[in-house]
Amino acid sequence: MAQAFLNSACEGLLHGQSAGLEPGELNPLAVAVMREAGIDISKNSTQSAFDLYKAGKAFAYVITVCDEAAGEQCPIFPGVTRQLHWSIADPSALTGTWEERLAATRLIRDRIKERVTEFCADVCPSLSAV
């Protein structure tokens, strides 16, 4: 979700890539709530943070989005100039009915969008003037 919002909000100025500790399947809850927000992530693929590191990709920023309170591990990128951490719950860890998890995922989506908007305004001040 963060990658999609960043690539939309900072289009042409920054390019986000998403990776987890281990590649897996796209979370259908995330796909559903992003579709509600007008963004289709259903065709996105997953990748591991280690794959990005091994590929030698350089990043000006790395933003980890994991919930330290839930004991989630966040990847570390050596040599990165700026690493930010946003402690946000993982939709895949939610429990309850589909509707309950969907409602909670909407809150997570909105929090991520808020953080991305703030980040883009800080890093690309010209965007807030538009």
Side-chain angles (χ1 to χ4, degrees), residues 12-96:
L13 299 172
L14 296 175
H15 176 73
Q17 292 190 2
S18 179
L21 288 175
E22 307 228 354
E25 299 296 318
L26 280 178
N27 185 326
L29 292 163
V31 173
V33 299
M34 290 303 286
R35 187 172 289 125
E36 292 173 357
I39 300 174
D40 182 10
I41 63 169
S42 65
K43 301 214 182 339
N44 289 14
S45 60
T46 63
Q47 60 186 333
S48 79
F50 189 62
D51 289 339
L52 291 176
Y53 176 74
K54 286 190 312 187
K57 297 197 177 235
F59 297 96
Y61 296 89
V62 169
I63 302 171
T64 54
V65 181
C66 42
D67 187 6
E68 290 174 335
E72 292 178 4
Q73 295 180 341
C74 294
I76 297 170
F77 282 78
V80 172
T81 303
R82 294 187 180 185
Q83 184 159 350
L84 307 171
H85 173 70
W86 300 342
S87 184
I88 297 176
D90 181 356
S92 68
L94 298 172
T95 59

Side-chain angles (χ1 to χ4, degrees), residues 1 5 27-34 36 88-94 98-112:
M1 289 188 279
F5 281 131
N27 185 326
L29 292 163
V31 173
V33 299
M34 290 303 286
E36 292 173 357
I88 297 176
D90 181 356
S92 68
L94 298 172
W98 170 263
E99 287 303 319
E100 291 168 338
R101 292 181 295 137
L102 192 63
T105 304
R106 286 183 185 113
L107 296 175
I108 293 167
R109 174 204 59 204
D110 294 346
R111 181 68 180 135
I112 290 171

